[in-house]
Amino acid sequence: MRGIHSSSKSIQFYLTSSYACSYLPEKRARSLVAAPSYLVTSQSYPALLENGFRRSGTFTYKPQCDQCQACMPIRLDTRRFSPSRSQRRTLKRFSHLQVYRRALAWQDDHYALYRQYQAARHSGSEMDNDDSSQYIDFLLTSHVNSYLLEFKDDAELVMVALVDEVPSGLSAVYTFFNPTISGLGTYGILWQAQYCQQKQLDWLYLGYWIEQSRKMAYKTQFTPYQLFSNGQWIAPVP
């Protein structure tokens, strides 16, 4: 892949060594990483996102495994998106929530909710053990246009979504929420899709979708969507 220019310098790309896949048991994974990280800025990041990359803190990557292409970048076409009947019910159910845009800054209640979410959804995983410094590196460190969306039910914090905004849309980086309240994750995506429509942003990038992973199944419930394959975004054949 050619270098992407940022000012007078070019971003370069390298392959990591193989590591255990987080989604498919007994698989080994590798990532193509954009470096140096300080060159991944609001000017260069849109082109990376358009080419299937993803951001985690200052680490910008996309899967490039030796014998597997299961991870498919997926994005929602917000220009044509219309919520389904069940999604409309979810929108109505949570329409009373207040949403606030926040800078990437430490909040005690955010971290407490993050720990609650990880303990419920990823018990025993590496993320379940994230301390405050790992949380900051993962969610509060960015060289691009990023911010937090804070969802509250009166004074109670129920969900936080980290998003990156580029001229063509939003990238849903990570969302955590009160795990005892069903439907919040779906509402977070629906809210972001409607925000894109209001701001005339064409795409909501939803990260990677893996057909064999049950955890990823929810992403294709938001239609119409496109998948990035062989260097281009393609709408699946119905």
Side-chain angles (χ1 to χ4, degrees):
M1 185 175 181
R2 293 180 179 178
I4 293 178
H5 294 282
S6 178
S7 300
S8 61
K9 300 180 180 180
S10 293
I11 294 172
Q12 303 300 318
F13 303 92
Y14 70 88
L15 275 172
T16 67
S17 57
S18 67
Y19 53 90
C21 180
S22 302
Y23 299 103
L24 300 177
E26 302 180 1
K27 290 282 189 179
R28 302 291 294 177
R30 298 180 79 186
S31 293
L32 185 66
V33 180
S37 60
Y38 68 84
L39 290 182
V40 180
T41 64
S42 294
Q43 288 70 47
S44 58
Y45 185 58
L48 290 166
L49 194 61
E50 182 68 20
N51 280 277
F53 280 78
R54 189 83 174 147
R55 186 186 67 81
S56 175
T58 58
F59 184 73
T60 305
Y61 68 97
K62 71 174 177 180
Q64 189 142 318
C65 305
D66 295 327
Q67 298 178 336
C68 180
Q69 296 181 341
C71 292
M72 304 286 288
I74 183 171
R75 67 183 185 182
L76 174 64
D77 184 348
T78 59
R79 297 165 299 180
R80 299 168 54 209
F81 171 68
S82 180
S84 66
R85 180 178 299 178
S86 65
Q87 289 169 348
R88 289 195 298 271
R89 288 197 296 266
T90 299
L91 284 167
K92 183 177 181 180
R93 178 185 173 194
F94 293 109
S95 61
H96 64 286
L97 297 183
Q98 302 90 44
V99 185
Y100 305 94
R101 176 170 168 166
R102 304 297 191 199
L104 302 190
W106 177 270
Q107 298 284 346
D108 289 342
D109 57 346
H110 288 193
Y111 182 60
L113 182 64
Y114 176 82
R115 295 293 298 122
Q116 180 188 6
Y117 176 82
Q118 297 301 339
R121 293 299 181 94
H122 302 289
S123 179
S125 71
E126 291 183 4
M127 296 186 73
D128 187 22
N129 297 317
D130 278 1
D131 59 22
S132 58
S133 63
Q134 291 169 312
Y135 170 82
I136 290 170
D137 288 344
F138 175 37
L139 293 175
L140 304 183
T141 307
S142 172
H143 297 314
V144 305
N145 181 23
S146 308
Y147 50 88
L148 300 170
L149 296 170
E150 184 183 77
F151 295 77
K152 284 192 169 184
D153 187 347
D154 290 330
E156 180 187 2
L157 178 71
V158 296
M159 181 163 60
V160 177
L162 169 63
V163 300
D164 297 335
E165 185 169 334
V166 299
S168 64
L170 290 185
S171 175
V173 180
Y174 197 75
T175 300
F176 55 96
F177 48 85
N178 185 331
T180 67
I181 305 175
S182 64
L184 274 174
T186 297
Y187 180 70
I189 295 176
L190 293 170
W191 191 95
Q192 291 173 54
Q194 291 191 330
Y195 176 85
C196 287
Q197 291 176 331
Q198 293 167 6
K199 299 296 182 180
Q200 298 184 325
L201 301 172
D202 294 339
W203 306 103
L204 176 59
Y205 295 84
L206 296 174
Y208 299 112
W209 172 72
I210 302 174
E211 185 176 9
Q212 302 95 317
S213 173
R214 294 177 60 186
K215 292 181 179 180
M216 300 284 193
Y218 72 92
K219 296 185 180 184
T220 56
Q221 295 173 5
F222 302 87
T223 59
Y225 60 86
Q226 293 183 344
L227 300 172
F228 190 75
S229 178
N230 297 320
Q232 60 183 332
W233 289 97
I234 300 172
V237 178

